[in-house]
Each structure stands twice: as structure tokens, then as C-alpha cells.
Amino acid sequence: MKTMIKLSFVMAAYAVVACVALAFVYIATAPKIAAAAQEELNASLRVVFSDASTFEDVTADGVGSGAGQIAIDRAYLAKKDGTTVGMVIQATGPTYKTSTVLVAVGMDRRIIGIKLLANSDTPGLGTKTAEPGFAGQFASKSVDDAFAVKADVQAISGATISSRGVAAIVRVAGRAAGNYLAAKAGGAVAPEGAASGGSDDGSTDADSGASEDDASTDAESGASEEAN
Amino acid sequence: MNKYFKLFTNGLLKENPLLVIMIGLCSSLAVTTNIWNGIGMGLAMTFVLLMSEIMISGFRKLIPNSIRIPVFIIIIAAFTTIVDLVMKAYTPALSKAMGVFIPLIVVNCIIMGRVESFSYKRTVPESILDALGMGLGYTWVLCVISIIREFLGAGSFFGMVILPEQYRVGFFSQSPGGFFVFGMLIAIAFAVNKAIEGRGGAK
């Protein structure tokens, strides 16, 4: 019994010393780590919003969760010298398989740019939505546009479904950003009669039409490094 | 040969943790796809090994035998966390490339093995030399594997592309390539050790 208590105290003493040492290191490195994480985020978001200098996470601040099968993952206010200049939303939705898109929207409810982050569609067909020829056409469109393929969005031939899916994600994310900016940051308000949320989003990918080959071909390739 | 010098050179080749004792392999195979990862992992590992051996051999009379393993783990984990935090703060890209393998240094068998079998019984100076030898032995093997894998798999040397795409062998960037290179190095180390032994015997 006596040895047990003695051993416990010895053990506790080592643990306390280790914890105190770690606390000091943590306090010393925490601001650096936060700055590095913020810088990484800024760099990744500046790809779509080159004008902004910093980004503030407002995901939990009533941006909405998306519409239909399209989910809003994260939302950031883009700031330049302390004033809000727009918003970046990361949304994921069904395309041929699924895509995750960053959508940058300015204060005038116009899209600044989009970037495909993850795209599990057919390589060489559906993945072409990430190329400037397709992704670039969204810039300077108003978020209240219809984003209808073959009308105001030029589809990729052979990948109509992917094109539609990405356009739908951009529409949902763009409107969410426009509405958030109008409500909270003094952005331009949606014109009268504009569609508000895109309640028809789920249907865009339900169309038939096998314009792409089997989705099973795009299973993740390249095994990751051994984990043990 | 000086006794202390021998302790140091032991880890480099004769008792190299990776090539001869063959412990701590998981981290060494996983991160060695480019040279910076190899150097970073090797130095992180050497630091944790060195500090843990110093602490444990310094306090070895104050660590009761029956709870020595938990105490070792507390000490090793503390130093590993320090390395992890420092790398996250100052080299975020490297820390990202290593991912989970930096925290996993805690359970790396090289450290556990050296601490248990060496520094718990030896003096501080001996432990320092053993840790440096083992750490550098680990690091140089990692660097050699990384250089070979980076050159053949990604066609580059220290990040500079020198091999055009069509001559690269993607196999070497993947896990089997790691095993292959590692196996070759074991064979070479075995032959070299044998040659050294043979020469020593002839004298």
C-alpha cells in the first residue's frame, strides 16, 4: 500500500513537470501556429479573391446550410484594410459525382471567381469543370442570374451533368453570399422578383443522359503511403 | 579506439537502428518521398531521442523500476509534443507533409528501445553519444532512401527537377518502392558490415 502511494506520487510529479514544460512551449508557439494557419487560409482563399487581404470565418453566423443536396461547408468574409469587400463560400454538391467549389462574391452581388477544390467526377471529362474555359465564365455574372446550362452557362461537351451540377453549386453559394452580404455587411440587395434560394437545385443532377462514362472509373487512384 | 567514439559510431552503421536492428521502420518508409521530409523527420527524431536519453539517464536513480515505462512515455511524449508544436509554428509546410508521423514519434520503437536498453543503465555522456549516433544513423538512412525515391519517383533532387517525366518511375513514390529501396539498403549494409568484420578478424 505504501509503495503504491509512493509510486503514484512519483508518477504524478513527472507528469506535472512535463505538463508545465509543455504549457510554456504551447504559450510560446500558439500565436505563431495560429498565424501560420491563418496565412495558409488566406493564401488558399486569395486564389479566388485576389483583392482581399484577410478572411474572417463566419460559417456559424447564419449563412444558411445550403439548398437541396448542395451544402455550404464554410463561409468567409473577405476584408481589405478592415472593410468588408465581399465573401467567399465553400459549397459541396452533387455533380456527376460530387464537387466542392469555392465561390467568391463581391459587394455588388457579382461573382468574382470560382475554384473547384475537390472533384470526383470522371477524369478528363467531368474534371474539366475546373479548367478556366468553364470555371472562368462565372466571373462578373450576377448571383441572381439563372445559371442555366446552355442559356447563360456554356456547358462542357460530354460533361453536361457535371457542368449543370457546378452551375447549381455556384448559384446556391453565390446567392447565399449575396444575401448574407446584403443582410449583414451592407452589400447590394437582391432586385425585386429575383429567385431567392433555388428550390429546384436537387433536380439538376437527376436528369438522365449518359454523357459521361461510368462513374465507377474515377475511384480514387494512387494509394496513400502506408500508415504503419 | 576510444570507448566514447565507439558508442557514437555504433549507431551509424554497425548497430544502425534501421538497417541492422530494423526498428522504427514505419515512419522511415512513410515520409521518405522527398529529401526535405527525410531530413525533417530525422532531425525531429534525433532531437526527441537526444533529450529523452539525457533526461532519463540523468534521472535514472529517481525513476522507480516498476513504473519506468509510463515515466519514459511521459518524458518522450513531452519532447515529441514540443517538436510538433515548434514545427507547426515555424515550418508549417513540413509539418503538414509529415502529418501524423511526428506525433507518432512517441511510440517509435527506436526511442523506446534505446531508452530502455541503454540510457536507463548508463551515464549522461554515454547516453548523449548513443543518442547522437542512433539519431544520425536514422537520419542518414532516411536521407539516402529519400534521395533515391525522390530522384526515381519524382525526377528531382532537393526539389529541383532534373529527370524528364517519361523517365520517372512512379513506383518509387509509392509504398512498394519504399520497401524495395529499403531492402536494397539493408543488403548493402549487411555486406559492408560483414566486410568490416572480416577485415577485423584477419588482423
Side-chain angles (χ1 to χ4, degrees):
Chain A
M1 188 66 196
K2 214 174 159 195
T3 32
M4 213 165 94
I5 292 169
K6 193 188 147 224
L7 289 180
S8 312
F9 273 108
V10 171
M11 187 84 192
Y14 280 105
V16 166
V17 172
C19 285
V20 171
L22 277 185
F24 278 110
V25 176
Y26 179 79
I27 290 166
T29 54
K32 274 265 176 199
I33 293 173
Q38 179 67 35
E39 190 40 52
E40 195 188 318
L41 176 71
N42 286 350
S44 66
L45 293 179
R46 231 180 263 131
V47 172
V48 286
F49 208 133
S50 50
D51 241 15
S53 48
T54 56
F55 295 88
E56 182 191 333
D57 193 335
V58 291
T59 309
D61 192 28
V63 185
S65 57
Q69 294 177 54
I70 297 169
I72 290 175
D73 307 322
R74 313 216 54 88
Y76 303 95
L77 272 186
K79 296 195 170 180
K80 191 185 182 185
D81 304 328
T83 43
T84 306
V85 290
M87 189 163 190
V88 178
I89 282 192
Q90 181 191 319
T92 303
T95 49
Y96 196 78
K97 223 169 174 184
T98 57
S99 292
T100 300
V101 188
L102 273 183
V103 181
V105 177
M107 298 300 278
D108 55 357
R109 290 179 80 80
R110 285 188 181 279
I111 287 177
I112 290 171
I114 73 162
K115 181 176 169 57
L116 272 283
L117 291 184
N119 183 340
S120 53
D121 289 4
T122 319
L125 280 172
T127 51
K128 276 189 185 166
T129 50
E131 291 173 9
F134 180 81
Q137 64 180 322
F138 291 98
S140 80
K141 276 188 194 300
S142 166
V143 298
D144 300 305
D145 283 0
F147 290 104
V149 168
K150 288 178 182 140
D152 57 345
V153 172
Q154 191 65 45
I156 293 162
S157 68
T160 318
I161 294 175
S162 292
S163 308
R164 269 186 209 151
V166 171
I169 295 170
V170 173
R171 179 178 56 205
V172 168
R175 281 179 194 165
N179 293 340
Y180 181 89
L181 287 172
K184 307 248 174 138
V189 180
E192 281 298 310
S196 55
S199 54
D200 56 331
D201 295 307
S203 65
T204 47
D205 54 295
D207 303 55
S208 62
S211 50
E212 296 187 354
D213 49 322
D214 189 1
S216 67
T217 56
D218 49 39
E220 306 274 328
S221 63
S224 56
E225 286 287 5
E226 58 276 3
N228 196 7
Chain B
M1 211 187 285
N2 186 310
K3 179 186 100 177
Y4 286 104
F5 185 66
K6 211 165 187 174
L7 277 176
F8 173 69
T9 52
N10 228 358
L12 293 182
L13 190 64
K14 199 167 145 260
E15 274 182 38
N16 189 291
L18 289 174
L19 296 178
V20 179
I21 312 179
M22 294 189 204
I23 51 178
L25 303 182
C26 39
S27 56
S28 64
L29 289 172
V31 300
T32 51
T33 46
N34 80 56
I35 180 74
W36 295 116
N37 286 2
I39 294 174
M41 185 74 201
L43 291 184
M45 169 78 190
T46 307
F47 173 80
V48 176
L49 183 60
L50 179 63
M51 297 312 283
S52 306
E53 285 212 33
I54 291 175
M55 293 303 273
I56 286 164
S57 86
F59 286 94
R60 67 186 187 282
K61 302 234 166 67
L62 294 173
I63 301 175
N65 195 46
S66 50
I67 55 163
R68 65 185 195 284
I69 301 283
V71 171
F72 292 167
I73 292 180
I74 290 176
I75 293 172
I76 297 168
F79 285 114
T80 306
T81 314
I82 289 173
V83 168
D84 192 29
L85 289 173
V86 169
M87 280 180 80
K88 271 194 187 133
Y90 295 97
T91 55
L94 192 61
S95 156
K96 227 178 173 167
M98 310 281 210
V100 75
F101 290 100
I102 291 297
L104 276 183
I105 291 178
V106 176
V107 288
N108 191 305
C109 20
I110 298 178
I111 298 181
M112 245 353 225
R114 292 324 287 177
V115 160
E116 163 78 10
S117 71
F118 194 90
S119 60
Y120 190 55
K121 297 165 191 145
R122 303 293 194 99
T123 61
V124 176
E126 286 175 322
S127 294
I128 292 175
L129 286 166
D130 179 70
L132 287 176
M134 286 288 161
L136 289 179
Y138 179 82
T139 309
W140 82 255
V141 175
L142 239 59
C143 289
V144 170
I145 300 179
S146 311
I147 288 172
I148 298 173
R149 287 181 72 188
E150 189 186 343
F151 179 72
L152 294 174
S156 58
F157 181 69
F158 278 90
M160 287 177 299
V161 179
I162 42 178
L163 211 58
E165 187 120 27
Q166 63 265 35
Y167 297 114
R168 292 177 200 166
V169 190
F171 166 74
F172 285 102
S173 298
Q174 307 284 331
S175 336
F179 280 107
F180 183 81
V181 174
F182 185 62
M184 288 297 172
L185 284 180
I186 292 176
I188 294 169
F190 205 78
V192 170
N193 272 335
K194 226 169 175 185
I196 292 173
E197 249 168 54
R199 213 178 44 188
K203 260 180 201 168

